[in-house]
Amino acid sequence: MMSLVNGKNVESSAMNELSQTIYEEFLSRYGKEPILINSPGRVNLIGEHTDYNDGFVLPAAIDKMIAMAIAPNKLTKVRVFSEDMNEEEEFELDNLHKSEMHWANYIKGAISEVQQEGHIPHGFDIVFGGDIPIGAGLSSSAALEGAVLVGMEELFGFGLSRKQMAKIGQLTEHNHVGVNCGIMDQFINLHGKANKVLKLDCRSLDFELYPFEREDIRIVLCDSKVSHNLADSEYNVRRAQCEEGVEILKKYKPEIQNLRDVHMELLKAHEDEMNNVVFRRCKYVLEENQRVHDACDDLKKNNFEAFGNRMFQSHEGLSKDYEVSCEELDVLVEIAKDQPGVLGCRMMGGGFGGCTINLVEEQYVDSFSETIRKKYKEKTGKETEIYVTQISSGTKVVEQ
Ligand code: GAF
C-alpha cells in the first residue's frame, strides 16, 4: 500500500517491535517525535562477485533490518546513538573526521558524500538498532547507509532518487570504509520488493523483478560464524585481478571496458598470456554472469530444481576458481548437498566466512536445520546459527 508521509509517497509498514524500541529510546533521549525508517539486510540468490565487473546479480531484501529514528535538531551537529552497541557519537557537520567507532563511519561517510550533492542546513539526531547479524555477509553496512540516506532525504528533501542514493552508499564504502565494493548491496537495500528477487544490470542499473514466492520452498541461511574480516583486503585483490585480465584482453579488443564485454572464446584464446590465477578469476565471472541469465529463465519456468543446481555450480566456481570460500563454508555446502529437500546451496556475499544460502523444501526445514547444526559442530567444532528468511521490501519510512 502506498501513502503520503511528510508529503512523500512511501510504502507503508506497520510499526514492528524493533521500531517501537528504537522509537521509545529516541523519545526518552531527545524528547521529540522522529521519523522512523526500516532498512533491510539482503540475500543474493546468484551472481556473486559480478557487480564490480559490470555484470548481473539476483539479490533480494530480507526481513532482518536496521530500524532508525531520525529528527532535526537546532544545532550544527549530529548526535547518534547505537542501541545495540550502547555507544553515542557526536560530531559537527563541518568536521567529519574518522571515528574510532567503526559503525559511526558509515553514517559520517554517507553525510560527507551527501554534502557533495547539497547543503545540509542544520544538524539532526539519530537512534538506531537492528537484528541483522554483523559480519554474517547480510549487508548490515548497506542497511545502515540506506537508512541514513533515506532519513536525510526525508528531513531535507534533496530530491535524490533511489539510484542516486545507492551510488552514494557505494561511494561511502569506497571513500570512507576502504572497500571497493560493487553496487549490489546498496541497490537492493533501496529497491527491494516483498516476494520478489531483483535482476540488476550493474552497468546500466536497469532491473527486472521476478516473483520468488513458492509456498513450499524457503530460503535458509546457515551462518558459518567465521567473521569475514579478511574479505576486505582479499576483495580488493579479486577486483584488481579481474582488471588485470581485462587489460590483457583490451589489446585485442580495445572497446572492452571490463569483464562484462568479454566472451569465453576470447578469454580462452588468450589464456596463455595471463597467469593461471587471473584466467580462473575471469572465467568464473563470465560463467557466473551466464548463470544469472539462465537462473532467471528457470524462474520464468518455475523450475526451482534447475535454479538450485546453478547455485551448486556457483559455489563450485567461487570455491575453486574465484577462491573466496573457506573451509567452514565448504563444509556447510557439503553437508547441505546430501540432505533431503535441498534444491540448491552456495556461499553468499563477499566470502571468507558469513553465510551459505540454501533453498530448502518447507517440510524439510526443521530436519535440515537439525542436521546442519549437528554435523557442522562435529566437523568444525563450531556452532552455526540458522535463519529462515522472508523476502521483504527495501528501505522505507514506517507509518506511525
Ligand atoms: C560484497 C560487496 F559489497 C558487493 O558489492 C558484492 O561484490 C558482493 O560482496 C559479492 O558478490 O557484498
Side-chain angles (χ1 to χ4, degrees):
M1 185 181 128
M2 297 294 283
S3 63
L4 274 182
V5 173
N6 302 326
K8 290 183 183 179
N9 276 319
V10 296
E11 198 176 326
S12 70
S13 83
M15 205 196 288
N16 48 47
E17 214 176 297
L18 181 60
S19 301
Q20 187 72 41
T21 309
I22 295 300
Y23 175 76
E24 279 160 20
E25 178 67 35
F26 191 95
L27 277 189
S28 80
R29 283 186 164 262
Y30 302 116
K32 58 192 167 192
E33 281 292 326
I35 294 170
L36 277 172
I37 316 275
N38 280 176
S39 183
R42 66 101 187 88
V43 290
N44 185 23
L45 276 303
I46 201 155
E48 217 64 88
H49 287 272
T50 45
D51 59 353
Y52 53 83
N53 289 299
D54 269 5
F56 297 86
V57 291
L58 194 67
I62 57 170
D63 55 349
K64 294 202 171 289
M65 67 169 107
I66 283 177
M68 179 177 280
I70 185 168
N73 62 34
K74 295 198 174 73
L75 312 168
T76 52
K77 65 184 170 190
V78 177
R79 299 180 292 194
V80 193
F81 179 69
S82 162
E83 172 86 7
D84 301 330
M85 310 298 273
N86 195 23
E87 287 173 348
E88 190 174 26
E89 173 73 309
E90 246 188 61
F91 49 90
E92 290 292 329
L93 277 167
D94 63 1
N95 185 9
L96 299 169
H97 58 272
K98 213 165 178 152
S99 173
E100 277 170 24
M101 289 174 241
H102 186 64
W103 59 265
N105 292 319
Y106 294 98
I107 294 176
K108 288 182 169 185
I111 294 172
S112 164
E113 291 299 325
V114 165
Q115 281 177 334
Q116 313 288 317
E117 305 285 325
H119 175 63
I120 299 180
H122 51 75
F124 49 95
D125 300 321
I126 290 177
V127 173
F128 76 95
D131 60 5
I132 308 173
I134 309 283
L138 305 182
S139 282
S140 52
S141 57
L144 186 50
E145 290 149 10
V148 73
L149 287 167
V150 169
M152 280 194 281
E153 178 60 33
E154 287 296 309
L155 294 188
F156 304 117
F158 295 119
L160 292 171
S161 70
R162 291 274 167 144
K163 271 186 193 170
Q164 284 171 305
M165 286 190 226
K167 287 183 189 167
I168 292 173
Q170 186 189 17
L171 286 175
T172 303
E173 298 275 346
H174 290 192
N175 299 336
H176 307 274
V177 186
V179 180
N180 272 331
C181 65
I183 198 156
M184 170 171 75
D185 300 351
Q186 290 74 20
F187 199 94
I188 190 61
N189 171 269
L190 290 154
H191 293 85
K193 292 273 176 281
N195 301 322
K196 304 269 196 294
V197 290
L198 184 150
K199 182 187 184 192
L200 176 65
D201 176 337
C202 298
R203 173 173 279 171
S204 66
L205 299 188
D206 290 339
F207 65 91
E208 279 175 273
L209 294 163
Y210 288 80
F212 203 93
E213 46 192 341
R214 277 262 301 261
E215 283 292 309
D216 56 333
I217 295 173
R218 306 304 302 265
I219 297 175
V220 183
L221 307 175
C222 302
D223 193 341
S224 65
K225 292 280 171 184
V226 177
S227 161
H228 62 303
N229 284 342
L230 234 188
D232 296 355
S233 59
E234 279 298 318
Y235 186 93
N236 293 345
V237 170
R238 292 297 173 283
R239 202 175 168 141
Q241 288 165 334
C242 292
E243 283 161 10
E244 199 180 320
V246 167
E247 280 312 307
I248 293 168
L249 298 171
K250 250 187 183 166
K251 287 190 253 158
Y252 303 95
K253 256 188 129 190
E255 65 271 28
I256 291 174
Q257 286 171 31
N258 53 38
L259 286 178
R260 161 69 172 274
D261 309 309
V262 175
H263 290 289
M264 196 58 97
E265 302 91 77
L266 184 77
L267 177 66
K268 286 196 170 152
H270 300 287
E271 181 176 350
D272 295 347
E273 293 158 55
M274 48 186 87
N275 78 45
N276 181 257
V277 171
V278 170
F279 173 75
R280 285 187 291 115
R281 305 296 192 243
C282 296
K283 177 169 88 61
Y284 160 77
V285 171
L286 268 52
E287 288 169 347
E288 184 76 349
N289 272 329
Q290 187 55 47
R291 273 192 284 270
V292 177
H293 297 306
D294 295 341
C296 289
D297 288 342
D298 297 336
L299 286 184
K300 281 186 196 150
K301 296 178 198 142
N302 203 22
N303 189 345
F304 279 70
E305 285 71 23
F307 187 101
N309 278 330
R310 295 189 208 286
M311 293 173 76
F312 288 128
Q313 291 161 12
S314 170
H315 183 78
E316 192 69 11
L318 285 160
S319 179
K320 305 270 162 47
D321 285 335
Y322 216 65
E323 294 180 288
V324 287
S325 186
C326 62
E327 204 189 317
E328 290 85 350
L329 288 170
D330 289 344
V331 165
L332 281 172
V333 171
E334 278 311 308
I335 304 169
K337 257 184 183 164
D338 296 335
Q339 299 315 305
V342 175
L343 300 172
C345 165
R346 59 179 203 86
M347 58 145 280
M348 187 182 72
F352 304 102
C355 291
T356 58
I357 177 169
N358 305 261
L359 287 193
V360 185
E361 287 175 36
E362 165 96 65
Q363 55 171 320
Y364 291 103
V365 169
D366 288 345
S367 59
F368 168 82
S369 306
E370 205 178 302
T371 309
I372 291 273
R373 276 195 197 96
K374 185 166 159 278
K375 294 204 167 172
Y376 187 62
K377 175 88 187 181
E378 273 168 22
K379 287 180 192 269
T380 65
K382 295 190 170 78
E383 306 285 344
T384 173
E385 199 152 339
I386 294 184
Y387 319 110
V388 182
T389 55
Q390 287 277 100
I391 298 186
S392 305
S393 54
T395 298
K396 63 195 170 205
V397 176
V398 179
E399 264 186 83
Q400 294 169 55

